[in-house]
């Protein structure tokens, strides 16, 4: 089936399944979601995958993927979310990806045996231990060290990657592990390192071949450096603590991270939805699975239509790659002087002349879970019918960020 035929078929299925719904709304194509989940397992080559909840933000879909072979545990983005997911039975293994200073959530953790057994906090300094212990008291809390995975050159003057943990060198990881071991209120169970400059940076940006070549060169060098440094850090920490897991990676680096012998599990999440930022990767491109629909409300001229709203902009650097992409019907593009608007979004292209007022335009979001910030539910598409309307975190009354 050609790409054009496949897109026409997908549009027909989506339109038929949601014919009784009034846009704007969001959907997830379950066939594509499941196919992406299985593809990620294959790429992990036998290492378990921990789902990044920030990239899904829907309890029903987290449960769905965790029931599939090869997936176990959640990487949560806040402690309050981790507590909720464990208490609700979505998982009994939630690692909080970022340090917390949420006093209410820490008190909740401290007084619940089930939560203390199933939730692991992220730390990168003794100062964070002080904050946690002052709130949780003598109850033993599971913790994980966040090892900085950025690529540093010129004595640290050049920093490639994200600014996360101050724990960069193997000796620093061991020093923090020893500090944790001295405190009876904590038990060190894991190490995490997120190589954002590899997993979260597309190496084939459209129309920018020279930049793509430079990115791929840097990523290869960064991977080799991290392979040695992470391995050394894990060896150092294992002399201090009996680690249950070493977590690494993201959707964009599942295969590479899985080849690191020091890593025992890999994180993935965005690849389940297949947002547009992952169109710029050579290693693997997930099937688009998540979409949102906006109605055509104007036809201002030949080759032009206007949809209501559409300005669902993704976080990160302010640039065109963070805008949503009109996907179906194919051949529509944003207008540079207006972009994705708060109340309207004009689109240009030959397909515009085939659209009438009331028709839908299907968009893809630039990032994965952020789509769920705009809707209370995701309509789950099975074939050409809506199988379920699954609440998002927002729809369940939870705002964890």
């Amino acid at each position: 089936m050609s790409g054009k035929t496949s897109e026409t078929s997908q549009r027909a299925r989506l339109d038929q399944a949601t014919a009784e719904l009034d846009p704007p709304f969001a959907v997830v194509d379950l066939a594509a979601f499941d196919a992406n989940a299985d593809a990620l397992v294959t790429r992990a080559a036998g290492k378990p995958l921990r789902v990044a909840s920030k990239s899904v933000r829907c309890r029903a879909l987290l449960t769905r993927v965790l029931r599939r072979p090869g997936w176990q545990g959640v990487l949560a983005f806040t402690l309050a979310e981790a507590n909720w997911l464990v208490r609700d039975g979505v998982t009994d293994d939630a690692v909080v990806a970022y340090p917390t200073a949420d006093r209410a959530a820490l008190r909740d953790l401290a007084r619940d045996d089930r939560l203390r057994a199933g939730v692991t906090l992220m730390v990168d300094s003794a100062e964070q231990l002080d904050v946690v212990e002052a709130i949780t008291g003598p109850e033993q809390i599971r913790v994980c060290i966040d090892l900085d995975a950025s690529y540093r050159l010129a004595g640290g003057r050049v920093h490639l990657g994200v600014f996360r943990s101050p724990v960069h060198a193997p000796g620093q990881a061991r020093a923090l592990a020893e500090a944790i071991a001295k405190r009876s209120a904590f038990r060190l169970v894991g190490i995490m390192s997120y190589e954002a400059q590899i997993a979260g940076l597309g190496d084939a940006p459209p129309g920018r071949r020279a930049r793509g070549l430079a990115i791929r060169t840097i990523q290869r060098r960064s991977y080799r450096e991290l392979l040695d440094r992470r391995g050394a850090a894990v060896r150092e920490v294992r002399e201090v603590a009996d680690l249950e897991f070493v977590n690494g990676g993201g959707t964009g680096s599942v295969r590479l991270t899985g080849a690191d012998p020091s890593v025992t599990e890999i994180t993935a999440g965005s690849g389940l939805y297949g947002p547009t930022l992952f169109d710029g990767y050579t290693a693997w491109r997930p099937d688009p699975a998540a979409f949102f629909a906006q109605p055509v409300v104007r036809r201002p001229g030949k080759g032009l239509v206007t949809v209501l709203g559409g300005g669902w902009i993704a976080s990160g650097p302010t640039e065109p790659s963070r805008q949503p992409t009109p996907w179906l019907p194919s051949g529509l593009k944003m207008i540079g002087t207006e972009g994705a608007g708060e109340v309207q979004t004009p689109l240009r292209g030959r397909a515009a002349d085939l659209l009438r007022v009331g028709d839908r335009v299907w968009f893809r979001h630039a990032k994965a879970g952020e789509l769920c910030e705009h809707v209370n539910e995701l309509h789950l598409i099975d074939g050409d019918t809506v199988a379920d309307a699954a609440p998002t975190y927002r729809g369940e009354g939870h705002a964890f960020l």
Side-chain angles (χ1 to χ4, degrees):
M1 182 180 290
S2 69
K4 184 68 175 178
T5 302
S6 177
E7 289 175 358
T8 301
S9 173
Q10 186 176 51
R11 181 190 175 202
R13 285 195 304 106
L14 295 177
D15 281 345
Q16 180 174 333
T18 61
E20 301 304 316
L21 301 177
D22 287 322
F25 55 81
V27 305
V28 170
D29 187 330
L30 291 177
F33 180 92
D34 291 344
N36 289 334
D38 291 344
L40 286 164
V41 169
T42 298
R43 298 185 65 77
K47 291 188 177 177
L49 289 162
R50 183 179 292 274
V51 60
S53 62
K54 77 172 186 63
S55 300
V56 179
R57 304 195 195 191
C58 172
R59 191 164 50 100
L61 289 174
L62 287 173
T63 300
R64 184 183 185 90
V65 74
L66 287 171
R67 287 175 177 166
R68 301 186 76 82
W71 292 84
Q72 62 181 50
V74 170
L75 189 70
F77 55 108
T78 68
L79 175 56
E81 180 207 15
N83 289 348
W84 176 57
L85 293 177
V86 170
R87 182 175 283 126
D88 198 60
V90 174
T91 184
D92 60 2
D93 177 10
V95 177
V96 184
Y98 310 94
T100 185
D102 185 335
R103 291 174 294 179
L106 284 167
R107 286 192 290 267
D108 192 19
L109 175 68
R111 60 176 172 248
D112 190 313
D113 293 345
R114 184 180 180 188
L115 296 184
R116 290 199 310 278
V119 175
T120 302
L121 301 186
M122 192 64 59
V123 296
D124 58 42
S125 71
E127 182 182 7
Q128 293 161 355
L129 299 174
D130 292 339
V131 170
V132 172
E133 190 171 5
I135 297 168
T136 60
E139 300 293 352
Q140 192 173 69
I141 305 298
R142 294 164 53 89
V143 295
C144 172
I145 291 176
D146 191 350
L147 176 70
D148 176 57
S150 63
Y151 187 35
R152 299 181 184 179
L153 302 169
R157 293 189 296 276
V158 177
H159 182 107
L160 302 175
V162 293
F163 290 92
R164 291 173 65 104
S165 169
V167 180
H168 186 79
Q172 292 175 309
R174 182 181 184 121
L176 182 55
E178 291 174 341
I180 295 169
K182 293 176 181 177
R183 302 190 186 209
S184 61
F186 299 99
R187 181 160 69 94
L188 178 58
V189 298
I191 294 177
M192 186 193 81
S193 55
Y194 172 52
E195 48 268 53
Q197 71 278 11
I198 304 173
L201 181 62
D203 62 352
R208 306 173 73 180
R209 292 184 61 187
R211 176 174 169 79
L213 178 60
I215 290 173
R216 290 191 292 274
T217 300
I218 291 170
Q219 287 179 337
R220 285 194 297 269
R221 294 175 180 175
S222 174
Y223 176 75
R224 289 194 294 267
E225 185 273 338
L226 180 59
L227 196 68
D228 292 338
R229 180 165 53 85
R230 179 160 52 196
V234 170
R235 289 191 296 273
E236 290 280 353
V237 173
R238 284 195 184 279
E239 292 182 2
V240 179
D242 184 15
L243 298 178
E244 296 177 9
F245 64 87
V246 177
N247 179 281
T251 287
S253 72
V254 168
R255 179 162 287 169
L256 271 179
T257 305
D260 184 341
S262 70
V263 172
T264 66
E265 62 172 42
I266 308 163
T267 291
S270 294
L272 296 169
Y273 285 174
T276 60
L277 283 177
F278 284 88
D279 290 350
Y281 285 75
T282 57
W284 178 63
R285 295 176 184 174
D287 293 336
F291 310 91
F292 68 93
Q294 298 284 9
V296 173
V297 292
R298 289 178 173 172
R299 302 180 69 239
K302 184 175 177 58
L304 289 167
V305 292
T306 302
V307 301
L308 184 70
W312 297 9
I313 309 300
S315 61
T318 305
E319 57 184 39
S321 69
R322 260 53 185 183
Q323 293 197 67
T325 297
W327 188 244
L328 296 172
S330 60
L332 295 173
K333 294 183 178 180
M334 300 279 188
I335 295 175
T337 54
E338 295 197 43
E342 177 187 5
V343 293
Q344 70 166 36
T345 298
L347 302 169
R348 186 189 303 276
R350 294 177 63 181
D353 291 329
L354 303 177
L355 292 169
R356 296 293 179 262
V357 171
D359 288 347
R360 284 105 178 252
V361 174
W362 293 92
F363 290 79
R364 292 169 62 201
H365 203 274
K367 299 185 82 172
E370 288 187 18
L371 170 64
C372 297
E373 293 182 359
H374 300 275
V375 294
N376 289 335
E377 58 190 7
L378 295 172
H379 298 277
L380 308 184
I381 307 299
D382 186 1
D384 57 4
T385 62
V386 175
D388 193 14
T392 62
Y393 283 6
R394 190 180 92 155
E396 297 207 66
H398 297 288
F400 294 111
L401 283 183

